[in-house]
Amino acid sequence: MAPLRMVILGRQGSGKGTQSEYVTGRFGCVHLSTGDALRAAVAADTPLGRQAKTIMDSGRLVGDDIMNGIVRDRLAEDDVAAAGVLLDGYPRTADQAGALEAILDDLGHRLDLAVNIDVPIEEVTARMMDRGRSDDTAEAIQRRLELYEEQTAPLRDWFESRGLLATVDGVGTPDEVFERVVAAIERGRA
Ligand code: AMP
């Protein structure tokens, strides 16, 4: 089977991280979470991490150039070429989506699909308040949800217009949602 290359979309708190782990476990592709990459840079106190920390703590988005650079470098590595990739948390803006298309094109690859995990706003807010991460203050959560609607939700249309979007009901147990995700992936690759 050809390596899987996909994007996972969903509001923060939609269960996208859990589904990403399940998908990479089943399909053997590399999990590229830009949030995790940034948190690792913060933990390692690199120049990028120091720059990103203030932005992340305020719930705003790190600049497109920085994010596109991180993704470009990672996608060019051999393990991604061989095993494929699941992009989690990227693209988050139309500019990033355009950059991703160009990056994959340069590498001679293309995306199989974008799976959108659909969970209502009230439910994701409750889930995020429960997980208690340091950047999960009520204000930061609200700001991220607003930004998501403004900048990231339009990406659904972007993927839809390319025939790449699959929306999956994200309410249910992780296993139930995973079954729906696998079905969407199988349809997307057929
Ligand atoms: P996440 O773990 O995906 O919720 O990301 C945590 C934080 O990292 C976000 O609130 C942003 O500040 C930053 N971040 C992660 N991915 C991106 C991206 N693709 N573009 C801009 N900022 C990002």
Side-chain angles (χ1 to χ4, degrees):
M1 191 62 105
L4 174 66
R5 291 188 186 86
M6 65 170 276
V7 167
I8 191 159
L9 295 175
R11 299 190 169 95
Q12 289 77 19
S14 63
K16 171 165 78 66
T18 304
Q19 294 302 320
S20 297
E21 296 301 334
Y22 288 10
V23 168
T24 52
R26 171 80 63 95
F27 294 90
C29 54
V30 172
H31 181 190
L32 175 45
S33 156
T34 47
D36 285 351
L38 290 171
R39 282 184 287 277
V42 171
D45 200 26
T46 64
L48 165 67
R50 284 193 287 277
Q51 206 182 336
K53 186 175 185 336
T54 325
I55 301 174
M56 290 168 76
D57 283 346
S58 72
R60 285 176 297 135
L61 292 181
V62 175
D64 287 333
D65 288 349
I66 292 179
M67 299 314 303
N68 296 337
I70 291 174
V71 170
R72 179 178 289 279
D73 288 351
R74 188 66 187 94
L75 292 189
E77 287 177 40
D78 292 345
D79 59 337
V80 173
V85 69
L86 179 146
L87 288 153
D88 169 11
Y90 179 97
R92 259 210 184 47
T93 65
D95 186 274
Q96 291 180 11
L100 174 62
E101 200 169 45
I103 292 165
L104 288 172
D105 215 50
D106 285 350
L107 294 167
H109 296 154
R110 59 174 194 79
L111 218 53
D112 292 302
L113 81 162
V115 173
N116 175 38
I117 312 285
D118 191 30
V119 179
I121 286 210
E122 306 74 53
E123 175 143 354
V124 293
T125 307
R127 289 185 189 177
M128 274 193 280
M129 292 303 291
D130 275 355
R131 74 183 178 182
R133 216 167 67 187
S134 78
D135 60 345
D136 279 345
T137 61
E139 274 155 32
I141 290 171
Q142 196 191 345
R143 171 121 195 102
R144 289 204 298 269
L145 287 173
E146 279 168 15
L147 260 180
Y148 188 80
E149 290 313 309
E150 261 169 54
Q151 296 199 285
T152 308
L155 289 178
R156 289 195 292 257
D157 298 340
W158 193 93
F159 287 113
E160 175 78 54
S161 71
R162 284 160 174 76
L164 292 174
L165 187 73
T167 293
V168 161
D169 177 5
V171 179
T173 66
D175 284 342
E176 284 164 355
V177 176
F178 184 53
E179 266 181 42
R180 298 172 200 147
V181 170
V182 170
I185 292 172
E186 279 163 2
R187 279 195 303 274
R189 303 175 93 192

